[in-house]
């Protein structure tokens, strides 16, 4: 297959942030909860995209840790390649704020995630981040 015939997908880079046991999630225009992050811009590395997007969406600086998960998500008649990373807060004070891009920002306990209206792969990414974080402290 030549490059011209290959499938083309927008790429969205998302972050799982766990701060003091709480996970910030954003409510989008489809009334679904989602992880902070967004579309890769031309010339950006995945990590750069994620740092930029988290600052834009939460007003919080993060360090990008290891990748967690990736998949193709079909939303609004578009296939989007989604890549998730675990991220950690760099700021001394954690005071996230919702941007104009989302309807709501809320902090969730891990046990509250399962019942939320959000893609299962986001839930899987959160579970992986929780596992990795718990291994760091053992």
């Amino acid at each position: 297959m030549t490059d011209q015939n290959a499938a083309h997908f927008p790429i969205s880079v998302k972050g799982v942030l766990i701060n003091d046991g709480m996970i910030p999630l954003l409510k989008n225009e489809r009334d679904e909860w989602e992880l902070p992050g967004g579309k890769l811009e031309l010339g950006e590395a995945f990590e750069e995209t994620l740092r930029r997007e988290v600052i834009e969406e939460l007003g919080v600086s993060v360090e990008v840790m290891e990748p967690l998960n990736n998949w193709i998500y079909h939303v609004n008649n578009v296939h989007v390649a989604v890549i998730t990373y675990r991220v950690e807060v760099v700021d001394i004070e954690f005071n996230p704020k919702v941007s104009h891009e989302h309807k709501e920002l809320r902090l969730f306990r891990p046990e509250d995630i399962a019942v939320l209206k959000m893609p299962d792969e986001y839930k899987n990414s959160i579970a992986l981040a929780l596992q990795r974080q718990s291994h760091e402290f053992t």
Side-chain angles (χ1 to χ4, degrees), residues 16-48:
V16 178
L17 173 60
I18 305 164
N19 190 73
D20 287 334
M22 302 298 281
I23 301 161
L25 297 174
L26 299 156
K27 188 175 271 189
N28 61 30
E29 72 281 354
R30 296 180 308 278
D31 283 327
E32 291 178 339
W33 292 99
E34 66 181 3
L35 298 168
K39 298 285 188 307
L40 181 73
E41 291 183 1
L42 192 61
E44 271 186 329
F46 296 154
E47 294 86 352
E48 290 175 282

Side-chain angles (χ1 to χ4, degrees), residues 94-128:
F94 180 68
N95 189 21
K97 307 220 181 321
V98 67
S99 74
H100 68 280
E101 297 179 37
H102 293 91
K103 294 174 151 185
E104 186 180 348
L105 161 67
R106 197 180 299 170
L107 301 176
F108 291 93
R109 295 182 314 233
E111 59 268 23
D112 297 331
I113 301 294
V115 298
L116 295 178
K117 180 181 176 188
M118 70 187 303
D120 286 339
E121 291 298 337
Y122 284 155
K123 294 176 184 181
N124 292 340
S125 293
I126 292 168
L128 286 168

Side-chain angles (χ1 to χ4, degrees), residues 27 65 72 88:
K27 188 175 271 189
M65 307 306 280
I72 302 298
E88 292 184 353

Side-chain angles (χ1 to χ4, degrees), residues 54-68:
V54 172
I55 288 172
E56 287 174 13
E57 293 182 352
L58 298 180
V60 174
S61 295
V62 294
E63 179 180 350
V64 178
M65 307 306 280
E66 72 277 2
L68 296 168

Side-chain angles (χ1 to χ4, degrees), residues 73-92:
Y73 183 41
H74 187 250
V75 60
N76 295 335
N77 295 317
V78 176
H79 288 85
V80 178
V82 180
I83 302 166
T84 59
Y85 285 83
R86 188 171 66 89
V87 298
E88 292 184 353
V89 175
V90 176
D91 297 330
I92 293 171

